Amino acid sequence: MWCGDLLIDLPECRRKLKADVSAAFPSLTADELCELIPNKEELNVVKIYAHKGDAVTLYVLHKNPLFFELEKRLYPTVYVLWRHPALLPTFRTWPPVLEKLIGGADLMLPGVVAPSGGLPNVKRGDCCSVTLVNNRAPVAVGNAASSSEEMLSAGMKGRGVCVLHAYMDHLWAFGDKSGPPSFPDAEGEGQEANGEDYEVDDTQEEAERCEEEEEEQLSSEKVKDQPCCGSEALSLAVQEEQRADEEEEADQEDQKMPQETMDALLLQCFLHALKRKVKKSELPLLTSTFLRNHMFSCCPSGKQLDIKKSSYKKLSKFLQAMQKQHNLIRVKELTKGVESIVEVDWNNKELRYFKVVEETNGDAAAAAQDGGEAEPPYHPPEITTLYSVSARLEPLFLDANKRKGTILQPAEVRHIVTEYVKKNELVDENNKNYVTVDPTLCDCLLEKSEYQEVQSLKWDDLFGRALGKMAECYEVVFPGHAPVRKKGHMEPIDVSVASRGSNKKVTLIKNLDAYGLDPAAVGAALQRRVQASSVLQPVPGSKDKVVVQIQGNQIHQVGRLLTDYYQIPRKYIQGLDKAPKSGKK
């Protein structure tokens, strides 16, 4: 994880932040906004790159994070919600559930305590908070997994809130680590009193487990329709919460054979990847990259690699087993939260004697027949922006043994540049937001006109210049296929509106093939949605590519189909801003 700290000292930046917060949380008054985002006090923006590569922006006041921005959406932290507990729709749960939320679990519906007035009115994806029955101070923030109506129609079973941030997590620890204030919950006081003597012990859980089959329907109705009361109801809610969290493991006894099969497939793909795909020059190799680029591509035709269906459940546990039980690899956490394979025992007997089964065309055909005539579900490709080390930047990457032409992920570039700065003690002692430019950085990153003028660079500027001087490329990975790397950037799906004849408009969709989408299938789906005719037109100058053409300005429907149904990220779709405004056709 890398983070950089910037100071907001421009009035227009504060005004924009206030406007964004006001738009996201309209219930805040002007005075409350000024209190949260004061005009004269120091307000910092902290950019964090999490271990998964997600970029998260924090807005920090008095060393406490107030808001965090993820995928261009603002969320309040618990520090803000403790000052404004009614800012978001709230779901209540029992105090013992807090421990599971802190551990990274989502809030499951069996653990929700519905107030007498019913559940809060939310839609799928709405930002909401989680409180405990004895205190109105929120302890978690997340998005609603479904609407209120869907929660009730599902019998209050399944996922309720996808938790993004909780009390006691790393984001909370970024602040002053204060505890939640006490806001008495009048409706929850009686419930807490009834459940205050409850303790989770093995004997009680075992007794309840024996009675669960007889009381399952009754207990579900209690959780859904009214607040639970008494230690029996409380323990049952916690038990339901635990069962929901581990639903993938609930049928373990009945699915031993599928798990054993998936374990064997994992080991086969793992050994295949080490023997044929991984090179010594690639080490250290991110574990996520190893899975995505190497193991998936080694999966035989007609089979799907799914770690969650194995006994390991997680990639980290599988790799630990490969390290401790098989002595095949050595995994190390080079940066906080990011694991890499740093060593492979190429002389290991298990690896040396492993034979890769070459797949023939007959095998592939047989696998296709076994799959039946049903079309496999579409899975969007995983697209990764990469950068190639240029000749000019090669001196900067020499310490990391990265030569000209080596392809790196943005996070790897940041890590290598950060390590170079630390190794050469280039961080400005007076202001750690700046890096002193030494001769190597000068030659690699500065223009000739800047040689005498620029003595230091901000961290963001340093990383931006480094990436800007590298050749951009990208990697596309379709499930079950080998990764494909190409120069340049991934061309987006282009959606546009054109005129045909007198005042007639058609919507054109180009470049679907690059994302593995069948233009004919997309055209047919749109035709059913909007009840308008669609045709395929050849792209001038290309033999294989076609354009989907459908009558009318259908950009709204095209956007919904591509983003909601096919799960194509919005950043890879161009032209959705040309949709007709509301009230216009």
Side-chain angles (χ1 to χ4, degrees), residues 295-583:
M295 286 186 64
F296 279 149
S297 62
C298 294
C299 187
S301 299
K303 296 183 180 180
Q304 187 172 2
L305 201 61
D306 191 343
I307 293 181
K308 292 183 178 179
K309 293 182 180 179
S310 71
S311 62
Y312 302 101
K313 303 302 179 185
K314 294 181 180 179
L315 175 62
S316 58
K317 291 185 178 179
F318 171 72
L319 294 178
Q320 285 173 10
M322 296 300 102
Q323 174 175 302
K324 296 178 180 178
Q325 299 172 17
H326 297 258
N327 297 318
L328 283 162
I329 57 173
R330 188 163 67 89
V331 179
K332 188 176 180 182
E333 192 175 280
L334 296 180
T335 56
K336 188 175 182 181
V338 182
E339 290 187 338
S340 298
I341 298 174
V342 296
E343 186 179 331
V344 176
D345 184 4
W346 307 102
N347 295 321
N348 184 285
K349 289 184 178 180
E350 189 172 5
L351 182 59
R352 287 173 57 192
Y353 296 141
F354 174 75
K355 292 184 178 180
V356 177
V357 179
E358 302 294 344
E359 197 167 7
T360 63
N361 293 335
D363 295 335
Q369 288 180 355
D370 291 341
E373 297 180 357
E375 185 177 337
Y378 172 80
H379 295 286
E382 187 170 352
I383 304 168
T384 306
T385 301
L386 303 172
Y387 293 88
S388 175
V389 177
S390 61
R392 180 174 178 180
L393 264 66
E394 190 173 18
L396 184 59
F397 291 84
L398 281 179
D399 290 343
N401 294 322
K402 305 299 181 184
R403 303 290 180 177
K404 176 185 174 183
T406 303
I407 295 178
L408 302 170
Q409 294 188 4
E412 293 175 295
V413 175
R414 294 189 187 97
H415 174 69
I416 293 172
V417 173
T418 302
E419 290 300 313
Y420 175 87
V421 171
K422 291 180 179 179
K423 180 179 178 181
N424 293 277
E425 299 180 350
L426 299 178
V427 179
D428 193 320
E429 294 181 358
N430 298 322
N431 189 342
K432 294 186 178 181
N433 292 332
Y434 287 83
V435 174
T436 302
V437 176
D438 69 348
T440 300
L441 291 178
C442 178
D443 293 339
C444 292
L445 304 181
L446 299 186
E447 303 295 337
K448 289 185 178 180
S449 60
E450 298 176 317
Y451 283 179
Q452 302 301 323
E453 300 176 0
V454 178
Q455 303 299 323
S456 61
L457 294 171
K458 286 187 175 182
W459 280 102
D460 267 0
D461 193 14
L462 180 71
F463 295 134
R465 286 173 181 256
L467 294 173
K469 300 293 183 183
M470 301 177 75
E472 185 176 343
C473 50
Y474 64 94
E475 181 182 82
V476 182
V477 182
F478 288 92
H481 293 76
V484 178
R485 289 182 174 180
K486 296 183 179 181
K487 295 181 179 180
H489 63 277
M490 183 75 171
E491 291 293 333
I493 296 174
D494 183 75
V495 184
S496 60
V497 176
S499 297
R500 294 287 187 269
S502 58
N503 201 28
K504 289 185 178 180
K505 293 183 178 180
V506 294
T507 301
L508 305 175
I509 313 165
K510 304 176 184 176
N511 205 32
L512 291 169
D513 314 67
Y515 294 80
L517 289 169
D518 180 6
V522 173
L526 283 171
Q527 187 171 349
R528 290 192 297 269
R529 286 193 174 206
V530 302
Q531 297 298 305
S533 63
S534 67
V535 294
L536 301 181
Q537 300 283 1
V539 175
S542 176
K543 295 181 180 179
D544 303 321
K545 295 185 177 180
V546 295
V547 178
V548 177
Q549 175 181 303
I550 189 163
Q551 287 184 351
N553 187 336
Q554 310 293 352
I555 291 183
H556 270 312
Q557 292 294 338
V558 172
R560 289 175 185 169
L561 179 69
L562 294 177
T563 58
D564 296 343
Y565 183 77
Y566 289 113
Q567 299 295 308
I568 301 293
R570 195 178 182 89
K571 64 181 178 180
Y572 293 117
I573 307 173
Q574 175 180 284
L576 295 184
D577 55 326
K578 299 174 184 176
K581 305 296 181 182
S582 58

Side-chain angles (χ1 to χ4, degrees), residues 81-138:
L81 293 177
W82 291 343
R83 295 160 66 178
H84 303 280
L87 185 62
L88 300 176
T90 300
F91 288 85
R92 292 191 307 161
T93 188
W94 299 103
V97 177
L98 176 59
E99 183 178 351
K100 303 189 74 64
L101 300 181
I102 293 172
D106 292 329
L107 177 64
M108 311 304 288
L109 290 175
V112 172
V113 181
S116 57
L119 293 175
N121 186 18
V122 297
K123 298 179 181 178
R124 182 191 297 267
D126 281 359
C127 186
C128 50
S129 63
V130 179
T131 65
L132 306 179
V133 294
N134 61 336
N135 193 351
R136 290 188 299 109

Side-chain angles (χ1 to χ4, degrees), residues 176-195:
D176 60 17
K177 300 183 181 179
S178 57
S182 178
F183 297 142
D185 183 1
E187 188 170 356
E189 283 180 356
Q191 297 167 334
E192 178 64 13
N194 288 332

Side-chain angles (χ1 to χ4, degrees), residues 201-246:
D201 60 77
D202 296 338
T203 304
Q204 186 174 4
E205 287 186 348
E206 185 64 26
E208 289 173 0
R209 194 176 293 111
C210 295
E211 298 172 359
E212 190 174 279
E213 292 183 359
E214 299 176 3
E215 299 179 353
E216 183 178 0
Q217 183 176 357
L218 178 61
S219 63
S220 298
E221 292 173 354
K222 285 182 180 179
V223 175
K224 178 180 72 174
D225 299 330
Q226 63 183 13
C228 298
C229 62
S231 60
E232 182 181 358
L234 173 57
S235 59
L236 189 56
V238 174
Q239 187 174 336
E240 288 281 358
E241 175 75 6
Q242 292 170 341
R243 288 177 60 239
D245 279 343
E246 300 170 352

